[in-house]
């Protein structure tokens, strides 16, 4: 028992909190890659800020901010190949946009419009985001089984919050991944909070990466505020999965700088000093500091980027606010491949009622 408990993963990091490289960067990471990563994290942070503002003004439903966690999603998205399949949870805006989901679609989804989950382009085979906690782990394992049984040399990436690792879905899926050597990579976004429950109250393990031990798969812990570390770990795990060498569990240690969602008030359960301390480790400033220190960035580039990003976000918001409403029967259309008789009757009743209400509103 002691030997197993002492299998504590080394936390992999390339760039420290002060923006200094503490080890040689991976061969696949160059200056252009670093600039692209920085641009994407700045974009996601701007989108995040605007989405929260839309919710606060009644123009969007409950929204889960990814503030402070941009490096996790960005590292995952940049490591994936087009043919890989992404099975997200609800805080994966950064990865989804790198997979071809537009900013407009992100806003659509959180505005309650399911058309935001109709993907085209690179991520067209990706699954829509999953709201129930840890269900996406089972979905990912199922997709991985399908890939392996058909001899397809692709891999599945799924994500989960630290709180989700306490669910049975998580353990059951990892167990299957280990027994069947599935081509699956699971990334834990360990942002330290499961809504109001701190990491320390969720599990007795020293690291969440250690939970891979029981499943018989590799467990890796990375600095989740270091986009290079996340990218490197996911890239390696995906290569291993595609080569038939099994699954990997990656714990990305970061911090949720926002409320859990816009329906939450984190000031009720955590100290302001704790959040202030966490800001010293956040990923966007860290990468910006590295770029400046190595003379790959300057104030003019920064201002140009901020203008470009703001314009991109504003365009997405305008498209979101101007979009025509969904058809009232859309939620029935995709329940089955072919709509059964019962649903057809319910659909007809719904459309008739909707038509009456629409007529009455025009009469007013």
């Amino acid at each position: 028992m002691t030997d197993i408990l002492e299998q504590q993963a080394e936390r992999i990091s390339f760039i420290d909190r002060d923006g200094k490289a503490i080890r040689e960067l991976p061969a696949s990471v160059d200056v252009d890659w670093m600039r692209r990563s920085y641009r994407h994290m700045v974009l996601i942070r701007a989108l995040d800020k605007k989405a929260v503002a839309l919710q606060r003004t009644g123009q969007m439903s409950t929204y889960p901010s990814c503030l402070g966690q941009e490096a996790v999603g960005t590292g995952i998205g940049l490591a994936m190949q087009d043919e890989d399949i992404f099975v997200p949870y609800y805080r994966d805006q950064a990865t989804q946009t790198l997979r071809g989901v537009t900013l407009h679609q992100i806003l659509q989804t959180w505005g309650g419009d399911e058309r935001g989950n109709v993907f085209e382009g690179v991520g067209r085979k990706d699954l829509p985001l999953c709201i129930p906690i840890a269900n996406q782990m089972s979905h990912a394992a199922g997709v991985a089984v399908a890939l392996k049984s058909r001899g397809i040399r692709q891999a599945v990436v799924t994500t989960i919050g630290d709180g989700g690792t306490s669910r049975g879905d998580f353990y059951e899926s990892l167990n299957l991944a280990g027994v069947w050597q599935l081509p699956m990579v699971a990334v834990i976004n360990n942002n330290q909070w499961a809504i109001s429950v701190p990491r320390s109250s969720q599990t007795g393990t020293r690291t969440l990466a250690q939970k891979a031990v029981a499943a018989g798969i590799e467990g890796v812990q990375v600095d989740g505020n270091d986009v290079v570390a996340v990218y490197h770990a996911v890239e390696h795990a995906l290569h291993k999965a595609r080569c038939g060498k099994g699954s990997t569990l990656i714990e990305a240690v970061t911090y949720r700088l926002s409320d859990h969602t816009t329906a939450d008030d984190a000031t009720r359960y955590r100290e302001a000093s704790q959040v202030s301390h966490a800001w010293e480790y956040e990923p966007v400033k860290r990468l910006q500091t590295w770029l400046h220190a190595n003379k790959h960035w300057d104030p003019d580039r920064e201002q140009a980027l901020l203008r470009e990003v703001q314009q991109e976000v504003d365009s997405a918001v305008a498209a979101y606010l101007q979009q025509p409403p969904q058809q009232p029967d859309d939620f029935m259309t995709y329940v089955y491949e072919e709509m059964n008789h019962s649903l057809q009757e319910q659909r007809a009743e719904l459309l008739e009622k909707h038509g009456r209400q629409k007529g009455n509103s025009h009469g007013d």
Side-chain angles (χ1 to χ4, degrees):
M1 180 65 74
T2 302
D3 290 341
I4 292 175
L5 291 177
E6 288 179 354
Q7 291 184 36
Q8 184 170 357
E10 173 194 0
R11 186 178 300 180
I12 299 171
S13 183
F14 289 86
I15 300 175
D16 67 14
R17 56 175 284 189
D18 299 317
K20 297 178 181 177
I22 55 178
R23 66 170 72 184
E24 185 177 353
L25 299 180
S28 54
V29 172
D30 58 16
V31 174
D32 287 340
W33 187 96
M34 297 291 259
R35 285 175 176 160
R36 183 187 178 193
S37 297
Y38 178 65
R39 183 197 185 282
H40 189 67
M41 289 196 290
V42 170
L43 173 65
I44 294 302
R45 184 161 290 188
L47 173 69
D48 204 71
K49 182 178 179 180
K50 189 62 179 181
V52 172
L54 287 170
Q55 192 280 331
R56 298 304 192 208
T57 54
Q59 300 174 90
M60 181 178 287
S61 304
T62 301
Y63 175 78
S65 172
C66 58
L67 182 65
Q69 301 146 81
E70 297 90 352
V72 178
T74 300
I76 294 170
L78 291 176
M80 295 181 70
Q81 294 182 357
D82 293 354
E83 296 77 16
D84 295 326
I85 298 173
F86 185 48
V87 183
Y89 86 128
Y90 52 79
R91 212 181 297 275
D92 277 321
Q93 299 92 318
T95 305
Q96 284 191 300
T97 48
L98 284 170
R99 300 286 296 160
V101 180
T102 66
L103 302 186
H104 174 212
Q105 286 179 294
I106 297 291
L107 298 174
Q108 263 189 311
T109 299
W110 292 108
D113 189 332
E114 288 295 336
R115 289 173 296 182
N117 287 316
V118 180
F119 305 142
E120 298 178 357
V122 172
R124 62 187 179 277
K125 292 184 179 179
D126 294 351
L127 272 62
L129 58 85
C130 186
I131 303 298
I133 305 301
N135 285 188
Q136 70 278 2
M137 290 288 295
S138 301
H139 304 158
V143 173
V145 169
L147 293 178
K148 183 167 184 176
S149 64
R150 296 174 185 176
I152 302 173
R153 293 175 66 85
Q154 295 173 10
V156 182
V157 177
T158 188
T159 49
I160 190 169
D162 47 297
T165 66
S166 298
R167 296 278 300 179
D169 314 55
F170 171 81
Y171 290 103
E172 292 153 10
S173 302
L174 278 193
N175 187 61
L176 186 65
V179 172
W180 288 359
Q181 289 288 285
L182 297 180
M184 185 176 94
V185 178
V187 182
I188 304 168
N189 177 359
N190 179 5
N191 63 25
Q192 310 302 318
W193 292 94
I195 308 183
S196 60
V197 180
R199 155 73 175 86
S200 59
S201 297
Q202 294 175 44
T203 179
T205 57
R206 297 176 185 174
T207 72
L208 299 180
Q210 266 183 311
K211 295 192 175 189
V213 174
I217 65 175
E218 181 182 7
V220 179
Q221 188 188 70
V222 302
D223 182 346
N225 292 325
D226 178 357
V227 67
V228 179
V230 176
Y231 166 80
H232 176 69
V234 175
E235 183 186 44
H236 173 75
L238 282 170
H239 176 72
K240 185 180 75 171
R242 296 188 201 104
C243 293
K245 296 182 179 179
S247 303
T248 306
L249 178 66
I250 300 171
E251 176 191 1
V253 181
T254 180
Y255 194 87
R256 194 193 78 210
L257 294 172
S258 63
D259 298 326
H260 174 68
T261 69
T262 49
D264 175 43
D265 178 7
T267 62
R268 298 174 61 187
Y269 53 81
R270 65 184 186 186
E271 298 295 331
S273 57
Q274 184 181 16
V275 180
S276 297
H277 179 69
W279 270 103
E280 298 176 11
Y281 294 82
E282 65 96 358
V284 178
K285 183 64 177 178
R286 180 184 302 200
L287 185 50
Q288 182 195 60
T289 301
W290 183 92
L291 287 167
H292 273 291
N294 289 277
K295 303 186 186 307
H296 300 310
W297 204 248
D298 56 58
D300 289 340
R301 286 178 183 266
E302 180 72 16
Q303 290 306 310
L305 172 61
L306 292 177
R307 287 193 298 270
E308 180 183 331
V309 161
Q310 193 58 55
Q311 183 177 17
E312 193 170 338
V313 171
D314 288 345
S315 295
V317 171
Y320 163 70
L321 294 176
Q322 295 168 13
Q323 67 191 5
Q326 278 185 280
Q327 294 301 310
D329 60 329
D330 264 5
F331 75 98
M332 291 181 169
T333 304
Y334 307 104
V335 177
Y336 302 107
E337 183 177 2
E338 295 182 7
M339 190 177 295
N340 60 33
H341 180 69
S342 176
L343 271 181
Q344 288 176 2
E345 289 184 339
Q346 293 176 53
R347 177 177 178 270
E349 183 180 348
L350 172 68
L351 291 176
E352 182 183 358
K353 182 177 180 180
H354 177 72
R356 289 199 304 268
Q357 290 177 339
K358 190 174 182 181
N360 290 338
S361 65
H362 287 167
D364 292 341

